[in-house]
């Protein structure tokens, strides 16, 4: 279903906000590493949340070594819990499965997917790296 206005869609279609609200309400959510690009929205993360948020202010100035460290740490933390991760965009222009990809627990494979998807993001979009739940 789609919402009836761009303003409403930006709220309803926000995958990261939905994830945080569900986590806050103690609904099971996958472990998530999220990168937010120039968002006007503030994302509150509760203590003990299953979501880690990083902020990008300019794609041209992303410290990819730092992203590599984040992704490596995240993937290592998933060992024994899952065998794959999901890389996907979030934002009101990203509907359904557009931009979604699945990867083995290999940091370099995930990093390649993150770099590829990052180049397609717009201000206000998010890039989610999720634990794959079957």
């Amino acid at each position: 279903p789609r919402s009836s206005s761009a303003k409403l869609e930006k709220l309803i279609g926000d995958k990261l906000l939905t994830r945080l609200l569900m986590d806050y309400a103690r609904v099971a959510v996958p472990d998530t590493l999220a990168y937010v690009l120039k968002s006007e929205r503030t994302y509150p993360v509760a203590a003990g949340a299953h979501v880690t948020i990083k902020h990008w202010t300019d794609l041209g100035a992303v410290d990819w070594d730092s992203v590599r460290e984040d992704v490596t740490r995240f993937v290592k933390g998933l060992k024994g819990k899952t065998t794959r991760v999901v890389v996907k965009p979030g934002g009101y222009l990203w509907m359904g499965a557009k931009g979604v990809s699945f990867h083995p627990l290999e940091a370099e494979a995930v990093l390649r997917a993150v770099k590829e998807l990052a180049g397609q993001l717009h201000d206000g979009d998010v890039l989610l790296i999720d634990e794959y739940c079957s």
Side-chain angles (χ1 to χ4, degrees), residues 1-3 5-16 39-41 43 89-96 98 121-126:
R2 295 187 182 232
S3 38
S5 71
K7 185 176 182 181
L8 187 57
E9 177 58 38
K10 286 181 181 181
L11 179 64
I12 293 172
D14 189 327
K15 294 174 186 175
L16 179 56
S39 179
E40 295 177 5
R41 178 167 289 142
Y43 293 98
Y92 76 99
L93 297 174
W94 297 97
M95 301 296 172
K98 183 179 175 186
L121 297 180
H122 303 280
D123 290 356
D125 286 347
V126 299

Side-chain angles (χ1 to χ4, degrees), residues 5-123:
S5 71
K7 185 176 182 181
L8 187 57
E9 177 58 38
K10 286 181 181 181
L11 179 64
I12 293 172
D14 189 327
K15 294 174 186 175
L16 179 56
L17 181 60
T18 302
R19 176 80 41 83
L20 289 167
L21 291 172
M22 290 174 58
D23 195 37
Y24 181 76
R26 299 179 199 263
V27 174
V29 298
D31 287 343
T32 301
L33 173 59
Y35 290 94
V36 179
L37 178 61
K38 292 186 187 177
S39 179
E40 295 177 5
R41 178 167 289 142
T42 301
Y43 293 98
V45 180
H50 292 90
V51 180
T52 300
I53 298 177
K54 305 285 183 158
H55 296 272
W56 287 338
T57 56
D58 179 4
L59 283 177
V62 171
D63 178 355
W64 289 107
D65 288 332
S66 178
V67 174
R68 175 179 276 110
E69 291 173 9
D70 295 339
V71 168
T72 300
R73 188 176 317 109
F74 181 72
V75 167
K76 282 182 179 178
L78 293 177
K79 296 233 189 242
K81 293 177 72 174
T82 188
T83 58
R84 299 192 289 175
V85 296
V86 183
V87 176
K88 62 185 172 186
Y92 76 99
L93 297 174
W94 297 97
M95 301 296 172
K98 183 179 175 186
V100 176
S101 59
F102 299 86
H103 306 277
L105 285 181
E106 299 169 3
E108 288 303 315
V110 175
L111 183 63
R112 281 192 299 276
V114 167
K115 286 182 176 181
E116 182 178 325
L117 185 56
Q120 302 173 50
L121 297 180
H122 303 280
D123 290 356

